Amino acid sequence: MCSLFRDPENRLQDSTPFYLKPGGKTVENEIADLSLTIGNIIGQASAEGREVVFLCIGSDRYVGDSLGPLVGSMLEDSGVPYKVYGTLKDPVHAFNLKGTIKEINRQFTKPVIFSVDASLGTKEEAGSVIFREGPVKPGKGIEKVLPSVGDYHFAGVVNYIDPLPTSQFLNDTRLYTVMTLAQAIVKVITATLPDENQ
């Protein structure tokens, strides 16, 4: 759905973000640190009897917007013990996001939701994964008004903002970039599992 990460009006996203740069020299340490953080969040949720849900937002019709469905499919394939919404087979996008949120809230009582979405950012942020507390604003980067969702979110910065229309950047995004970001996010999440589940 392509959330716009830098949104000065969105005060819900003013917590300190965690940056992970796949291919960087310290990426393994960054993955380990972020996995520990997420593992603690999941552990606390389990102790409180709350379900953990991964809501992977986007469409497989545009390379730049396919991050969420790719992550969702990879998580399902890896056998994570969490509920996953949004895969390549059954994507969660602008037309069914509201219904999916209602379904999650009907099925679970106070779930801890991790949202995953593609994002546009600065040139320096492009190719990074950003994890942050608070909801993601899907569609913000392409000027769609959709509900904010998630207790925490992953934003994969698939491209950067330029004077050209933002929709053009979704079309010009490299599949390699999206796959690299998706693999990094899945590696972070699966690293939170006990060894026998990986």
Side-chain angles (χ1 to χ4, degrees):
M1 208 68 61
C2 202
S3 57
L4 177 61
F5 180 71
R6 291 195 177 279
D7 179 9
E9 296 174 6
N10 186 1
R11 300 302 175 195
L12 294 173
Q13 294 189 9
D14 61 1
S15 62
T16 302
F18 188 106
Y19 288 82
L20 187 157
K21 188 79 168 181
K25 292 180 180 177
T26 60
V27 66
E28 292 304 321
N29 290 337
E30 292 166 2
I31 287 172
D33 289 347
L34 185 50
S35 293
L36 183 62
T37 297
I38 292 170
N40 289 337
I41 294 167
I42 291 172
Q44 183 176 344
S46 297
E48 295 170 356
R50 300 172 69 187
E51 292 284 344
V52 173
V53 173
F54 284 88
L55 177 58
C56 303
I57 304 165
S59 169
D60 62 346
R61 294 179 183 270
Y62 299 97
V63 170
D65 200 28
S66 63
L67 177 74
L70 278 169
V71 170
S73 291
M74 290 177 181
L75 287 175
E76 279 198 345
D77 290 345
S78 70
V80 295
Y82 315 119
K83 183 65 178 174
V84 177
Y85 290 86
T87 62
L88 291 171
K89 183 180 178 183
D90 297 305
V92 174
H93 44 64
F95 298 112
N96 64 4
L97 177 62
K98 289 180 182 178
T100 303
I101 294 169
K102 285 180 182 176
E103 181 185 336
I104 291 169
N105 289 326
R106 262 196 316 266
Q107 190 170 351
F108 305 106
T109 303
K110 294 185 179 178
V112 175
I113 300 174
F114 292 87
S115 297
V116 180
D117 198 6
S119 174
L120 299 175
T122 65
K123 199 165 187 177
E124 293 73 31
E125 290 171 333
S128 298
V129 173
I130 303 169
F131 178 78
R132 161 173 251 164
E133 185 175 2
V136 71
K137 281 193 95 157
K140 184 71 177 176
I142 51 174
E143 299 176 358
K144 287 190 177 182
V145 180
L146 295 167
S148 300
V149 61
D151 299 286
Y152 302 89
H153 71 269
F154 291 89
V157 186
V158 297
N159 216 328
Y160 59 90
I161 303 164
D162 207 89
L164 292 175
T166 52
S167 59
Q168 181 64 33
F169 285 89
L170 292 179
N171 295 330
D172 289 345
T173 298
R174 294 188 62 207
L175 179 59
Y176 175 80
T177 301
V178 179
M179 283 294 294
T180 301
L181 293 172
Q183 289 165 345
I185 291 170
V186 171
K187 192 169 184 180
V188 166
I189 295 165
T190 56
T192 66
L193 303 174
D195 288 339
E196 64 269 17
N197 289 338
Q198 293 187 40

